[in-house]
């Protein structure tokens, strides 16, 4: 069931230019590829809905399984201090989850990545090996 939300201009309905790590009929997993936040991924519903409760329970469960698989893969490959999970959608009301590895010495920790910088001299970290990340995600979702 498609929501009544206006999907014209929705950046998450436009899939061009994304670094897709995994996709199926329900969702896609993309790498954000922001050097400031290595490993940052999004799990994006492939249709335009705003809320988890707009989905049937089996779709909610499948979407959350994908979020957990991405979290596990990032924990295995990057050993972060913490993984942040967020589904805000206030600016872009298209159901999606942020999966963000965090370290105690990153520029914003313990605050969210959208907060003001706490420390400018944080160490830079590398993106996870893309092939290994795809393999981990694909193995657990297929």
């Amino acid at each position: 069931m498609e929501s009544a939300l206006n999907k014209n201009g929705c950046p998450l309905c436009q899939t061009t230019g994304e670094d897709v790590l995994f996709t199926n009929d329900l969702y896609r997993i993309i790498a954000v590829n922001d050097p400031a936040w290595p490993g940052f991924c999004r799990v994006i519903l492939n249709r335009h809905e705003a809320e988890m409760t707009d989905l049937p329970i089996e779709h909610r469960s499948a979407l959350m399984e994908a979020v957990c698989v991405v979290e596990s893969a990032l924990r295995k490959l990057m050993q972060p201090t913490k993984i942040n999970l967020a589904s805000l959608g206030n600016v872009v009301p298209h159901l999606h989850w942020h999966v963000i590895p965090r370290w105690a010495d990153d520029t914003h920790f313990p605050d969210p990545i959208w907060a003001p910088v706490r420390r400018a001299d944080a160490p830079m970290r590398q993106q996870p090996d893309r092939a290994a990340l795809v393999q981990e995600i694909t193995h657990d979702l297929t």
Side-chain angles (χ1 to χ4, degrees), residues 4-138:
L5 290 170
N6 180 0
K7 63 183 180 181
N8 293 334
C10 172
L12 296 181
C13 286
Q14 312 304 314
T15 61
T16 56
E18 292 179 332
D19 183 0
V20 178
L21 304 172
F22 179 89
T23 190
N24 63 23
D25 290 341
L26 183 62
Y27 59 82
R28 64 195 182 275
I29 300 168
I30 67 165
V32 174
N33 293 323
D34 181 339
W37 304 109
F40 186 169
C41 293
R42 285 192 189 104
V43 179
I44 305 169
L45 188 69
N46 284 334
R47 68 178 192 261
H48 195 87
E49 297 287 352
E51 307 298 345
M52 287 290 283
T53 53
D54 291 338
L55 304 178
I57 189 69
E58 61 273 9
H59 290 178
R60 286 183 235 165
S61 295
L63 198 62
M64 289 312 300
E65 176 66 16
V67 169
C68 292
V69 164
V70 173
E71 176 184 312
S72 286
L74 291 171
R75 289 180 68 200
K76 179 178 180 180
L77 296 172
M78 301 185 78
Q79 296 84 45
T81 304
K82 180 75 175 85
I83 296 279
N84 288 174
L85 302 176
S87 179
L88 307 171
N90 297 333
V91 175
V92 180
H94 180 132
L95 189 55
H96 64 287
W97 285 86
H98 300 272
V99 184
I100 311 164
R102 300 294 307 279
W103 288 267
D105 60 355
D106 75 35
T107 56
H108 292 67
F109 199 87
D111 298 328
I113 67 170
W114 299 283
V117 171
R118 280 183 171 255
R119 62 192 69 76
D121 61 344
M124 291 297 295
R125 290 189 168 75
Q126 297 297 313
Q127 293 289 346
D129 178 85
R130 187 184 187 289
L133 183 57
V134 167
Q135 182 178 357
E136 289 291 325
I137 290 168
T138 302

